[in-house]
Each structure stands twice: as structure tokens, then as C-alpha cells.
Amino acid sequence: SVSFSWLDCSLSIAFFVSVFWVHYELDLISLRNTPEWLINSAFLDVYSGHLRRAESKYSRAFKQEVPVEFITEAEEFVGDVLHQHKDRPQLHFSAGILALHRGDYLLATQEFEAFLRDHPNLSQWEVTVGQKYLGQARTRLASSSHQPQKSA
């Protein structure tokens, strides 16, 4: 008859847990690089006032292909939160980034203008990055047919 000691059982459990944890961490790492994860995480950073970190995540997200439907859903969510939390004008930054990447340059322009106008105590970096995106939105608006992309 085969008998296992408490130590054998503990080691087996520890091995199983460590293998499971490694796979879980690898899945989590790969998930953290998806545009959906990055956009959601960036929103939380903006909400918390960490715009520099958020801008980096938005940039990484939009270097990948992002479904227009997801951008539209994210925009609706940000709009709802902004409506409920008017004391967080930094959310205009998120709304502007999303509108810009969906192709609604007029809305993006309005959101970046609101961000620069309504956000008190912007740092020099925040002013610079806000003006950069506002310039992109205005340039694209001037050269486009002024029509946002329609979601499928």
C-alpha cells in the first residue's frame, strides 16, 4: 500500500499552487497588454488624477487595433461618469482621447478644450499634452469630412 506523509501532501499542494499561480500570472500579464485592459486601466488612472500614467496606457492601447464598438462603449461610460462627477474635469481628457481615436474630431476638440478650460491647477505637462491632443483633433477636423466613424 502506498502512503503519503503530511510533507508529501503539502509539497504536492505547494507544487500545484505554484504551477497554477505561474499560469495565472502569465495570463494576467498577457491580459494587461490588451487594448481593452489598457483603456480601462487608463480611465481609472485619469479618474484618480494620474494623467501621465493614463496617457502612456492610452498610447500603448491605440498602437494596437481597438474595436470601434469598444471605444464607443468606453466613451458612453466615461460620459456617464463625467455627468455624475462634474468635480472631475480630468475625465474630459479620457473622453477626448476616445473621441479622437473613434474619429469624432469635433467632439474630441470640444473635450480637450473643456479639459484645458475646466481643470484647475493643471501641471505644465498636463497643459502640454492637452494642447498636443487638441492640436491633433483640430488638424484632423480641418482635413476631414467632419463625420465620426460609425460603429458596426
Side-chain angles (χ1 to χ4, degrees), residues 36-51:
E36 293 86 356
W37 178 283
L38 290 166
I39 289 169
N40 285 322
S41 181
F43 166 79
L44 294 174
D45 288 335
V46 169
Y47 187 86
S48 302
H50 303 289
L51 272 70

Side-chain angles (χ1 to χ4, degrees), residues 99-114:
L100 183 66
H101 287 282
R102 186 174 51 81
D104 189 339
Y105 307 127
L106 178 59
L107 180 59
T109 298
Q110 293 167 346
E111 293 293 353
F112 288 119
E113 287 173 345

Side-chain angles (χ1 to χ4, degrees), residues 17-76:
V17 168
S18 67
V19 168
F20 173 78
W21 188 254
V22 167
H23 286 291
Y24 172 78
E25 285 291 316
L26 290 174
D27 287 345
L28 193 55
I29 289 168
S30 64
L31 177 65
R32 286 183 181 163
N33 291 317
T34 64
E36 293 86 356
W37 178 283
L38 290 166
I39 289 169
N40 285 322
S41 181
F43 166 79
L44 294 174
D45 288 335
V46 169
Y47 187 86
S48 302
H50 303 289
L51 272 70
R52 190 179 297 253
R53 188 171 28 193
E55 197 270 339
S56 173
K57 289 177 183 176
Y58 280 129
S59 294
R60 288 182 11 230
F62 287 110
K63 286 180 182 171
Q64 304 175 54
E65 186 172 330
V66 183
V68 174
E69 298 83 12
F70 180 80
I71 298 172
T72 302
E73 288 175 16
E75 271 187 291
E76 290 172 4

